Amino acid sequence: MEPQQRSPLLEVKGNLELKRPLVKPPSRLPLSGSRCKRRLDQMEDVLEPEKKRTRGLGTVTKFAISHHRAPVGTTVPQTQGQAAAPKVPKKTGPRCSTAVASVLKNQKAAPAAPAQKPGTTAAPPKLGGKKPSKRPGWDLKGQLSDLNAELKCYRERTQTLDQENQQLRDQLREAQQQATALGAERRTLEGELARVRAQAEQGQQELGNLSARVLELEERLGTQEGLVQELQKEQLGLQAERRELTTRLEEQERRLQTSEAALSGSQAEVASLRQETAAQATLLAERGERLHGLEMERRRLHNQLQELKGNIRVFCRVRPVLPGEPTPPPGFLLFPSGPAGPSDPPTHVSVLRCDERRGTLSGAPAPPTRHDFSFDRVFPPGSGQDEVFEEIAMLVQSALDGYPVCIFAYGQTGSGKTFTMEGGPAGDPQAEGLIPRALRHLFSIAQELSGQGWTYSFVASYVEIYNETVRDLLATGTRKGQGGECEIRRAGPGSEELTVTNARYVPVSCEKEVETLLLLARQNRAVARTAQNERSSRSHSVFQLQISGEHAGRGVQCAAPLNLVDLAGSERLDPGLALGPGERERLRETQAINSSLSTLGLVIMALSNKESHVPYRNSKLTYLLQNSLGGSAKMLMFVNISPLEENVSESLNSLRFASKVNQCVIGTAQANRK
Ligand code: ADP
Ligand code: MG
């Protein structure tokens, strides 16, 4: 507590301490307080009886005093004084009455001579301790002198006593004065004491009140102190928290500043990027425009290129000798290099034929005849599927540009047509044929073109034409392998588009779906196969893909079919064979096949010669493909050749047919654009 905030209790105590001297003032009397008090009381006591005596026995006292003054010899007062004397000490205090007592004692100690019996002379008083010798009765003179001496002695004594009395009176007066003063002082002190007591009581009461108040305040103080301690603790906690928060705040502010700096940087960057984006968007729009123009230009040039290559092209592919097959004599098949040397892709094939029926005049065997053929491209036995596809990829892409495309595989049975179109054993990616490769290529290009706003859809169908009947190779369920009747019809009245009734047209968008369809087609062919007749060799398999493209932004649409045709074996029936029931059936098959293949040749010729009548309807195959063979179409024919010498005749037939086709030039193709 601050010294200035002194508690009321302490203040009261202090005041009491200060007042104390007032209660007990230093006595001016030589005696200590208590002793003085007592002596005062005693003196009063002494004085009081004196007064009393003065009041009650005044005459006696006066008498007694006057007795001392009385002349010696008056016995009566002496006797009375003697009789009264013993009463004085009884009423006198033990201490303060010393002087008075001593006077009285002296009076007592000097008793008057005992009353003499009448007739006897009183003995002279003992003076100076010297007892006068007893005088004979007759010695009156002596007795008188003794009495005079005694009187003298008494007188002296009286004088002494008077002096003493005077002294005592003085002392008494002084004592009375003192007593009066002391009484006044006492009264003052008593008054003061009473006042102080009252004050003390009041103070005590106040003290009690204050003590209670102090206790209450102390209690409150304790509570407040507890509260203060709690608050201090809380304050400490809050300060620590505040410090922590301050630190965090500073950290956050730092981060904020960094972020703000980064943000302003980013905003500037964003602004510049926006500007850049706007510029880019403009540029992009320009580029899009330009790209579209370029795309159309590319299509035009691509088409031109295809036209330059020929709207109908023929590729010759010779399959390798299979394990177990006889090795052909060296030089049987030759693949002469092109004009640019071995680096040039081969376009020529030569077949050396030894005709045993022909002979020289000398009888020696005739020298082998060399038959040279030239095609757009020749693939020797070692050529892989990828190499072959690479050559036709551009042509396949023409279908996406809206040009109908037809790719045939022509050749005798076992020459590798199916291998070329569908591929080798399933699961060998290297042996994958043109159909899966072409579709994958188309899907991928369509995906790329979607970035330019083109949307493509693909619908696949797969049919076979056997003996001029059309069967769905994608048939499922009860129709599977049954060869239910399918007819080729126009899609609608006045429509150029042809469809196969009862055939499935399956939308495809990925390789997996195409794989499933090819597998289903194989299964359908397997069901139809008989022991005597490998029907797949005796029928044409036509895989058709309807491609539809649209550029919504520009309102451009295009649609074209891609046809991949695995033709029936082109081999002729040996005319020397006996005609049994099986052979007759076989002959009919063969005639149908030959007829349709001839019709194909004739159609191509008619188109090439721009004849007014094109005999599409002469066969189901040409009828079905008529929209893909016209002037707006592009055609590619693979002539598949067996490497075996034993197949040389059929090989030559195929090569001759292909050569004829190769010489055809169909008019400028037109894209089917709307
Ligand atoms: P086609 O369909 O003309 O009757 P295939 O395609 O069935 O002939 O081929 C006959 C056999 O020759 C099949 O076993 C096939 O795997 C095989 N073959 C054909 N061409 C090739 C080739 N380029 N490479 C390897 N094997 C081939
Ligand atoms: Mg085949």
Coordinates of all heavy atoms in Angstrom, one line a residue, residues 317 319-320 322 412-419, ligand 1:
R317 N 1.3 -58.1 -105.4 CA 1.9 -58.6 -104.2 C 2.2 -60.1 -104.3 O 1.2 -60.9 -104.6 CB 1.1 -58.3 -103.0 CG 1.8 -58.7 -101.7 CD 0.9 -58.4 -100.5 NE 1.8 -58.5 -99.3 CZ 1.4 -58.5 -98.1 NH1 0.1 -58.4 -97.8 NH2 2.2 -58.5 -97.1
R319 N 3.2 -63.4 -102.5 CA 3.4 -64.0 -101.1 C 4.6 -64.8 -101.0 O 5.1 -65.3 -102.0 CB 2.1 -64.8 -100.7 CG 2.0 -66.1 -101.3 CD 1.0 -67.0 -100.5 NE 0.7 -68.3 -101.1 CZ 1.5 -69.4 -101.1 NH1 2.6 -69.4 -100.4 NH2 1.1 -70.5 -101.7
P320 N 5.1 -65.0 -99.8 CA 6.3 -65.8 -99.6 C 6.0 -67.3 -99.8 O 4.8 -67.7 -99.7 CB 6.8 -65.5 -98.2 CG 5.6 -65.0 -97.5 CD 4.7 -64.4 -98.5
L322 N 5.5 -70.8 -98.5 CA 5.2 -71.2 -97.1 C 5.9 -72.4 -96.8 O 6.4 -73.2 -97.6 CB 3.7 -71.5 -97.0 CG 2.8 -70.3 -97.3 CD1 1.3 -70.7 -97.4 CD2 2.9 -69.2 -96.3
Q412 N -5.7 -65.9 -107.4 CA -6.2 -67.3 -107.3 C -6.3 -67.6 -105.8 O -5.7 -66.9 -105.0 CB -5.3 -68.3 -108.0 CG -3.9 -68.4 -107.4 CD -3.1 -69.5 -108.0 OE1 -2.0 -69.3 -108.5 NE2 -3.6 -70.7 -108.0
T413 N -7.0 -68.7 -105.5 CA -7.1 -69.1 -104.1 C -5.7 -69.5 -103.6 O -4.9 -70.1 -104.3 CB -8.0 -70.4 -104.1 OG1 -9.3 -70.0 -104.5 CG2 -8.1 -70.9 -102.6
G414 N -5.4 -69.1 -102.4 CA -4.1 -69.3 -101.7 C -3.0 -68.4 -102.1 O -1.9 -68.6 -101.7
S415 N -3.3 -67.3 -102.8 CA -2.3 -66.4 -103.2 C -2.0 -65.3 -102.2 O -1.1 -64.5 -102.3 CB -2.7 -65.7 -104.6 OG -3.9 -65.0 -104.4
G416 N -2.9 -65.2 -101.2 CA -2.7 -64.2 -100.1 C -3.6 -63.1 -100.0 O -3.3 -62.0 -99.4
K417 N -4.8 -63.2 -100.7 CA -5.8 -62.1 -100.7 C -6.3 -61.9 -99.2 O -6.3 -60.7 -98.8 CB -7.0 -62.5 -101.6 CG -6.6 -62.8 -103.0 CD -7.9 -63.0 -103.9 CE -8.6 -64.3 -103.5 NZ -7.8 -65.6 -103.8
T418 N -6.8 -62.9 -98.6 CA -7.3 -62.7 -97.3 C -6.3 -62.2 -96.3 O -6.5 -61.4 -95.5 CB -7.9 -64.1 -96.8 OG1 -8.9 -64.5 -97.8 CG2 -8.7 -63.9 -95.5
F419 N -5.0 -62.8 -96.5 CA -3.9 -62.3 -95.6 C -3.7 -60.8 -95.8 O -3.6 -60.1 -94.8 CB -2.7 -63.1 -96.0 CG -1.5 -62.7 -95.1 CD1 -1.3 -63.5 -93.9 CD2 -0.6 -61.7 -95.4 CE1 -0.2 -63.1 -93.1 CE2 0.4 -61.4 -94.6 CZ 0.7 -62.1 -93.4
Ligands
ADP1 P1 -6.4 -66.5 -100.3 O1 -7.2 -65.8 -99.4 O2 -6.0 -65.8 -101.6 O3 -7.0 -67.8 -100.6 P2 -4.7 -66.7 -98.1 O4 -4.7 -65.3 -97.7 O5 -5.6 -67.6 -97.4 O6 -5.0 -66.8 -99.6 O7 -3.2 -67.3 -97.9 C1 -2.9 -68.6 -98.1 C2 -1.8 -68.9 -97.1 O8 -0.7 -68.2 -97.3 C3 -2.3 -68.6 -95.7 O9 -1.8 -69.6 -94.8 C4 -1.6 -67.3 -95.4 O10 -1.3 -67.2 -94.0 C5 -0.3 -67.4 -96.2 N1 0.1 -66.1 -96.7 C6 -0.4 -65.4 -97.7 N2 0.2 -64.2 -97.9 C7 1.3 -64.2 -97.0 C8 2.3 -63.2 -96.7 N3 2.4 -62.1 -97.4 N4 3.2 -63.6 -95.7 C9 3.0 -64.7 -95.1 N5 2.1 -65.6 -95.3 C10 1.2 -65.4 -96.2

